[in-house]
């Protein structure tokens, strides 16, 4: 499985202290987007201090206007409130979905916890309908756990 092959690469990126945190986060985005066929946009959002909003961090994929997302708005904003993974097999079925691109068919968002607190998330958009499995969720949880160690 591709996820098992990518785990050591994620760990290597995380451990490379010669790069800044943002450089390492971007490298993770690039790794996932390049090697997982159904990952078409990969990025991180992080809580903006004490504000109830998320700020876009490092990402790869089409540019987005959604650089600030209020808590509760869209899939990312809902994860900021729920502290739960959110898998959307078909974005057209979500009333609270924020469209980044007309090509996006599905989305998965997994929170990043530091000391038990949700401080951000990884957001993946796919141009493939219903591509995400439980294996994607477990892998992205692994990625978020590793990312948390450098935040």
């Amino acid at each position: 499985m591709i996820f098992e092959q990518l785990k050591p690469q994620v760990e290597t990126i995380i451990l490379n202290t010669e790069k800044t945190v943002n450089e390492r986060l971007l490298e993770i985005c690039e790794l996932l987007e390049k090697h997982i066929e159904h990952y078409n946009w990969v990025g991180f959002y992080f809580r903006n201090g004490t504000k109830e909003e998320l700020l876009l961090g490092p990402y790869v994929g089409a540019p987005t206007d959604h650089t600030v997302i209020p808590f509760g708005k869209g899939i990312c904003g809902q994860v900021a409130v729920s502290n739960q993974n959110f898998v959307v097999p078909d974005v057209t079925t979500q009333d609270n979905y924020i469209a980044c691109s007309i090509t996006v068919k599905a989305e998965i968002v997994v929170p990043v916890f530091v000391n038990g607190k949700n401080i951000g998330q990884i957001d993946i958009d796919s141009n493939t309908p219903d591509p995400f499995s439980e294996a994607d969720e477990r892998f992205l949880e692994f990625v978020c756990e590793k990312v948390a160690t450098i935040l």
Side-chain angles (χ1 to χ4, degrees):
M1 188 68 184
I2 187 72
F3 298 131
E4 292 307 313
Q5 295 167 356
L6 292 176
K7 282 181 178 182
Q9 294 177 60
V10 169
E11 290 176 320
T12 299
I13 292 167
I14 292 296
L15 293 172
N16 184 359
T17 55
E18 292 181 14
K19 292 189 176 183
T20 67
V21 168
N22 277 348
E23 286 171 335
R24 288 182 269 174
L25 294 176
L26 179 60
E27 197 171 333
I28 288 170
C29 292
E30 291 168 342
L31 178 76
L32 302 188
E33 190 272 338
K34 179 180 178 184
H35 292 286
I36 304 172
E37 191 174 326
H38 58 279
Y39 288 15
N40 302 111
W41 191 98
V42 179
F44 289 94
Y45 281 93
F46 293 102
R47 184 182 186 124
N48 184 11
T50 59
K51 294 181 182 177
E52 298 281 298
E53 66 185 20
L54 298 166
L55 293 179
L56 179 62
Y59 75 94
V60 294
T64 180
D65 292 333
H66 306 290
T67 57
V68 178
I69 298 177
F71 279 23
K73 182 98 170 118
I75 308 307
C76 291
Q78 290 176 73
V79 169
V81 174
S82 74
N83 299 320
Q84 305 275 327
N85 298 351
F86 199 156
V87 180
V88 182
D90 178 358
V91 296
T92 63
T93 64
Q94 293 293 314
D95 293 337
N96 195 8
Y97 174 69
I98 300 173
C100 289
S101 166
I102 59 168
T103 61
V104 175
K105 304 288 188 250
E107 181 173 11
I108 185 171
V109 178
V110 175
V112 177
F113 294 98
V114 173
N115 298 323
K117 185 173 181 173
N118 181 349
I119 57 99
Q121 54 205 225
I122 191 167
D123 177 22
I124 315 275
D125 289 344
S126 180
N127 299 338
T128 305
D130 194 13
F132 302 115
S133 67
E134 188 173 324
D136 289 276
E137 277 193 83
R138 298 299 82 83
F139 173 69
L140 293 172
E141 287 168 352
F142 166 85
V143 170
C144 289
E145 286 169 14
K146 294 300 175 187
V147 164
T149 66
I150 62 170
L151 300 176

